[in-house]
Amino acid sequence: MYDLCDELGLLVMNEAYDEWEYPKRKWIAGWNVGTAGFEGAYDFFADWGERDLADMVKRDRNHISIFAWSIGNEVDYPNDPYSHPILDGSQGNGFTQPIFGGYKKDAPDAMRLGDIAKRLAAVVKKYDTSRPVTAGLAGVAMSNETEYPGVLDIAGYNYTESRYQEDHKRYPKRVIFGSENRHDLAAWKAVQENNHIFGQFLWTGIDYLGESGRWPSRGFYSGLLDFAGLIKPRGYFRQALWSEKPMAYLGTYALKGEVGKTDVWSDLEAERGQRKNEAPSMDAWPIWNYREGQLIRVVCYTNTAFARLELNGKVVGDIKSYNEEQGIVYWDIPYAEGRLEVIGFDKEQKELVRQVLETSGRSHALAIISESSVSARTGDVIQVELQVVDKNNRPVVLADDEVTCRIVGAASFGTGGWKQQ
């Protein structure tokens, strides 16, 4: 993986630990569900923590992709396990995990964090002085009462954008970045609008197996990409924020309480829908199959200055300028089947880009749409992407057909993906 990052120019924060001398909660029945376990590596940290960290640095220090060494992620999570009297304060002082209660005098003392961080940072510096030492702080307000943040060359803040300005004034020499952040525009603006914040990591870039809810949930689904590496709607939302090339993505969802004259809401629509007065979603799927007359919110994630919406060649959404507050252009229109199209324009209203959604018919066939060759050498991995299409070869995004695949020959099989692709 490091070799690939070296080749592609991807920057890596190389991280050693998720817990130190005491265990953190391990959710067994589901993330934040049921009774937690406490299995982990803590029971040999005292003997092996510094030795393993030294080995990691020596192993990886010649990879040019690595820009920082992290000695821990969320080891300072309030009351999981460390505690401090400041946790008896209000949420306004930065205590963002009140679910686990205030100060617990019998819990491990948070002041221990500074001593451990000093020892780990010294190990890194012994074997590599060219890169900064960092960590992802989960309980910044608590850790600020210790020596922990001061040990770090660059301090990672997990979901604590609200402290960027306050801590910059209080600790003007502290270099701060977002070590774990949400995908929304507010989190990105916290970087854009604060010159002392050099960037952010999103949790998460790719969906993964872990931190799932109760079965049959099997993973965490907040990624920009799904299990198969396919771009999800929020991936296109972030693409619109970052891309220098003109782009536009078109997604839709039904509005709650807004249905046709004789229709009722399905469970799926009730779950995915929003109220008309709610902000537009960054998770709108590329669907144009609803009931005639149903009020649908159409959203466009774009980096163009203006956007206009057309349905079957007629303007159904007047031209709108890019929304700086929400990062999303949207229209609420009654559904009619056909070809829905958004056009992006520059500041002079010259067309730059188009994106289309079409009403699909019933499932008709499977199409192989992957670019990978279907032939391979021993040891190769091939991703074969299948798309359910109607008789006119249009994608049927809402298809729920059961598809069975069979491998003939010396190969093994796996699956992934958020749609029939």
Side-chain angles (χ1 to χ4, degrees):
M1 186 186 72
Y2 296 122
D3 288 340
L4 185 60
C5 290
D6 291 344
E7 179 183 340
L8 296 176
L10 297 178
L11 295 180
V12 176
M13 179 175 70
N14 208 7
E15 190 164 76
Y17 299 115
D18 187 63
E19 60 186 20
W20 289 345
E21 58 178 348
Y22 293 102
K24 291 161 63 176
R25 294 177 180 87
K26 310 295 190 302
W27 299 104
I28 300 168
W31 185 55
N32 284 348
V33 173
T35 301
F38 292 91
E39 297 78 7
Y42 66 93
D43 53 352
F44 49 83
F45 179 80
D47 294 331
W48 286 92
E50 294 176 39
R51 295 167 63 181
D52 284 347
L53 179 60
D55 286 345
M56 186 187 83
V57 175
K58 287 186 288 185
R59 181 194 68 188
D60 298 336
R61 61 189 173 185
N62 288 328
H63 286 284
I64 60 174
S65 56
I66 295 171
F67 82 94
W69 303 104
S70 174
I71 58 176
N73 176 64
E74 297 192 342
V75 298
D76 63 332
Y77 203 97
N79 290 328
D80 191 16
Y82 297 96
S83 197
H84 188 279
I86 197 174
L87 300 184
D88 277 338
S90 65
Q91 190 167 357
N93 69 11
F95 178 31
T96 58
Q97 292 89 6
I99 185 175
F100 297 125
Y103 174 51
K104 297 182 178 180
K105 63 180 181 179
D106 295 329
D109 186 356
M111 300 304 288
R112 302 172 64 92
L113 293 167
D115 292 335
I116 300 171
K118 287 179 183 178
R119 297 202 304 269
L120 296 178
V123 170
V124 174
K125 296 297 184 182
K126 181 179 179 180
Y127 297 102
D128 183 13
T129 59
S130 67
R131 298 175 177 92
V133 174
T134 188
L137 304 178
V140 178
M142 182 177 75
S143 289
N144 279 344
E145 304 300 312
T146 76
E147 296 181 285
Y148 184 17
V151 173
L152 308 173
D153 298 310
I154 55 176
Y157 280 35
N158 286 13
Y159 310 108
T160 325
E161 295 93 339
S162 61
R163 297 192 67 90
Y164 284 175
Q165 290 284 17
E166 175 185 347
D167 280 13
H168 181 54
K169 293 178 181 177
R170 187 177 175 186
Y171 312 101
K173 294 184 178 181
R174 181 180 295 179
V175 181
I176 303 172
F177 70 101
S179 43
E180 191 170 320
N181 303 88
R182 297 179 179 85
H183 298 78
D184 57 31
L185 183 61
W188 178 238
K189 282 190 171 184
V191 177
Q192 281 188 312
E193 297 174 358
N194 292 292
N195 290 332
H196 62 283
I197 306 299
F198 70 75
Q200 68 177 192
F201 285 86
L202 298 181
W203 194 263
T204 171
I206 306 175
D207 290 350
Y208 59 96
L209 300 176
E211 290 192 294
S212 63
R214 290 187 184 276
W215 179 261
S217 174
R218 65 191 184 105
F220 201 68
Y221 306 103
S222 70
L224 304 179
L225 309 177
D226 66 15
F227 291 128
L230 305 174
I231 303 176
K232 294 163 59 180
R234 59 177 52 197
Y236 288 106
F237 173 74
R238 277 287 173 151
Q239 185 182 110
L241 299 180
W242 294 335
S243 178
E244 297 180 358
K245 181 181 178 180
M247 62 81 60
Y249 168 87
L250 198 55
T252 70
Y253 52 90
L255 291 170
K256 288 185 177 180
E258 303 290 344
V259 298
K261 294 181 180 179
T262 61
D263 295 313
V264 296
W265 265 77
S266 69
D267 291 340
L268 179 62
E269 290 168 326
E271 180 182 348
R272 291 182 175 175
Q274 289 185 332
R275 299 294 179 187
K276 190 174 181 180
N277 60 351
E278 292 181 13
S281 172
M282 62 180 177
D283 293 311
W285 301 91
I287 299 166
W288 193 237
N289 285 77
Y290 296 95
R291 292 187 293 275
E292 193 74 20
Q294 190 173 4
L295 191 62
I296 305 301
R297 175 155 293 176
V298 179
V299 303
C300 175
Y301 313 144
T302 185
N303 56 4
T304 62
F306 298 95
R308 187 181 70 216
L309 187 67
E310 296 181 0
L311 177 61
N312 298 324
K314 297 181 180 179
V315 175
V316 291
D318 291 336
I319 193 166
K320 289 186 176 183
S321 61
Y322 178 80
N323 190 314
E324 296 287 350
E325 295 302 315
Q326 298 171 328
I328 301 174
V329 181
Y330 71 97
W331 304 265
D332 296 336
I333 65 171
Y335 172 76
E337 69 174 63
R339 180 184 176 90
L340 188 68
E341 191 166 17
V342 68
I343 303 99
F345 304 90
D346 64 13
K347 293 180 180 179
E348 284 72 41
Q349 297 194 17
K350 177 183 177 181
E351 181 178 326
L352 295 175
V353 64
R354 286 176 177 250
Q355 182 68 23
V356 175
L357 290 181
E358 289 188 277
T359 304
S360 64
R362 293 185 177 275
S363 303
H364 178 73
L366 286 174
I368 298 178
I369 63 171
S370 55
E371 297 179 358
S372 301
S373 169
V374 294
S375 62
R377 299 166 299 179
T378 300
D380 282 354
V381 175
I382 295 178
Q383 180 162 309
V384 180
E385 299 172 15
L386 303 178
Q387 174 70 63
V388 179
V389 295
D390 65 12
K391 64 181 180 180
N392 294 314
N393 207 39
R394 293 175 296 207
V396 185
V397 180
L398 291 177
D400 61 356
D401 306 88
E402 181 176 342
V403 177
T404 301
C405 296
R406 185 166 61 95
I407 296 292
V408 178
S412 58
F413 181 71
T415 60
W418 61 264
K419 58 183 179 180
Q420 288 71 29
Q421 191 169 341

